[in-house]
Every structure is written in C-alpha cells, then in structure tokens.
Amino acid sequence: APKGIVLTPEGEVLYKYIERGYNMIMLAESKFVEAINLDLGNIRIGASDMTLRYFLLPYLEEFHRQYPRVKIKVTNGPSPETVELLKKGIIDFGVVSLPLANNEAIEVLEVKNIQDCFVANQQFGELAGRQISVRELVKYPIVILEKNTTTRQYIDDFLAQYSVTLSPEFELATSDLIIQFACKGLGISCVVRDFVEEYIKNGSLFEIELKEEI
C-alpha cells in the first residue's frame, strides 16, 4: 500500500483471497504461454512399426531436439487399431497406411506414396529375371503381415481380383521380421519397396516381377 495507507481488517482478509487467485491466474497464464511456445505439454501419437520406423522416426528426432520438454507418447499398433484409438480420443494423431475401411469423421493428409512388392533371396533364384503370375507366386511359401493390418487386407484384396487366395507360410507382426525371414530364405516376403531397397542394392534380396501390377 502507498505510504500512509493501510488495509482494514476486512481488506486484509479480502486481499489474501485476491492474492491467491491472482497468483493462480498468473501461473496459468505462464503455463499457457509455455504450451503455445511448445515449452511443455504432451503429444500422443499412434503408428504401426512400419510407419514409425521408416517414416515418422526422423520427424520425432527433430521435434524432440527442438522441443525437448514436450513429452511424446507413441502407441504402436496396426493402422486399423490406430484409427480406432484416434476416434476414441486416446491419441492426437496417427500415422497409418491407406486405404482405411472406416475413416468417417477423420481428416486424412496424405504424406507419402508407397509400393508393395514381393522379395526373395537366392534360394528362390529360379524366379529372378522373369515375370510370374500371382497364381504361380502363391504356390511358393509366402511371408506376410498379419490379417489385422491394412497392408495384409490390401494384398488379399489385390489377389482376390484374380481369384487367388493367400495361404501364407508365415504371418508376422512386423515388417522387420518379414525382411529377416526373406533374408533367411524362409519364403517370399511381401513388404513395402522402400524398406528393402538397401537389401536389393547389396544383393541380399531381389524383387519378384509380377505380371499383374500391384
């Protein structure tokens, strides 16, 4: 109070309440400014192993470098599962593979085109350098993602166009495992081409040339 002016007892009581509220308002304002400037906060992301490792990871690294105080929680799961988490508000956004069977009320921003392909090692060398049909392809042991994934559904639908049903030798949960199974010669593996480019370049794997374009 200015010199010569003091609060009455009632004013003292009122000031204590006002001071407490004022401090809370100032604290809330500072937290709000921090959140706007990304000095704190939480981001909840959903992603499959494929989209996380081969697309999202470098963005997460750069974001964490710029905003180290923002906590990032990544929920790893297949694309259909990620979409359901988004609809329930459990995650803020998801990085998924298209197409999605049920994407009502979801805003979709396409960020990258991908190409599915089949690869094998030299144990299946008789297939190198020539075109084969999908009917011939499925006579070989196939390694592919599980049924609860967008990629698997897409391939099943693709083969169904030619009245071909897939009976895989191995159904796996991650793209990394599928690639490793191909390198071990355990079957012809279905993967996104971007993920196996280095293996094709170094000769560990070769791409199966299909007559029917995926």
Side-chain angles (χ1 to χ4, degrees):
K3 188 176 181 181
I5 299 175
V6 295
L7 291 171
T8 63
E10 294 82 357
E12 287 282 1
V13 173
L14 179 61
Y15 176 73
K16 286 180 180 178
Y17 282 102
I18 291 175
E19 180 184 32
R20 194 178 307 159
Y22 176 76
N23 289 337
M24 291 300 293
I25 290 171
M26 293 302 294
L27 177 62
E29 184 177 323
S30 67
K31 294 296 183 184
F32 183 68
V33 171
E34 285 180 343
I36 290 176
N37 294 329
L38 295 179
D39 290 327
L40 56 73
N42 298 276
I43 296 177
R44 304 164 303 170
I45 303 170
S48 68
D49 75 296
M50 180 177 71
T51 56
L52 176 60
R53 175 169 179 179
Y54 295 103
F55 176 76
L56 188 59
L57 188 57
Y59 292 101
L60 290 179
E61 290 173 340
E62 178 60 21
F63 184 88
H64 183 64
R65 187 188 65 79
Q66 292 190 36
Y67 308 104
R69 296 182 63 191
V70 176
K71 294 180 180 179
I72 302 171
K73 179 181 178 181
V74 179
T75 301
N76 187 232
S79 291
E81 185 179 304
T82 297
V83 170
E84 290 307 309
L85 292 176
L86 183 61
K87 289 181 177 180
K88 293 175 182 176
I90 296 173
I91 57 175
D92 299 309
F93 71 91
V95 183
V96 300
S97 301
L98 297 178
L100 298 173
N102 186 17
N103 64 350
E104 294 89 354
I106 292 177
E107 183 180 349
V108 177
L109 174 65
E110 295 186 16
V111 294
K112 183 179 177 66
N113 290 323
I114 58 176
Q115 175 67 52
D116 294 297
C117 69
F118 288 86
V119 294
N121 77 352
Q122 289 307 315
Q123 291 198 41
F124 301 91
E126 73 272 13
L127 300 176
R130 68 181 183 90
Q131 281 192 334
I132 67 168
S133 68
V134 291
R135 290 183 179 278
E136 185 177 357
L137 173 73
V138 297
K139 293 177 182 178
Y140 290 86
I142 301 295
V143 184
I144 196 169
L145 284 170
E146 297 170 327
K147 274 188 171 292
N148 64 333
T149 61
T150 302
T151 296
R152 173 62 184 278
Q153 185 60 54
Y154 185 81
I155 294 299
D156 283 348
D157 292 346
F158 164 71
L159 294 174
Q161 296 176 46
Y162 305 98
S163 302
V164 173
T165 302
L166 195 61
S167 297
E169 190 84 0
F170 297 99
E171 296 177 277
L172 304 174
T174 69
S175 299
D176 281 342
L177 278 175
I178 289 171
I179 294 171
Q180 294 310 311
F181 271 51
C183 290
K184 296 290 186 182
L186 294 172
I188 296 173
S189 292
C190 180
V191 288
V192 172
R193 184 181 290 149
D194 287 356
F195 307 163
V196 287
E197 279 187 351
E198 61 181 280
Y199 294 89
I200 293 173
K201 286 179 181 177
N202 67 28
S204 300
L205 300 171
F206 67 90
E207 181 177 349
I208 304 292
E209 189 177 350
L210 292 177
K211 292 178 180 178
E212 303 87 353
E213 184 179 357
I214 303 178

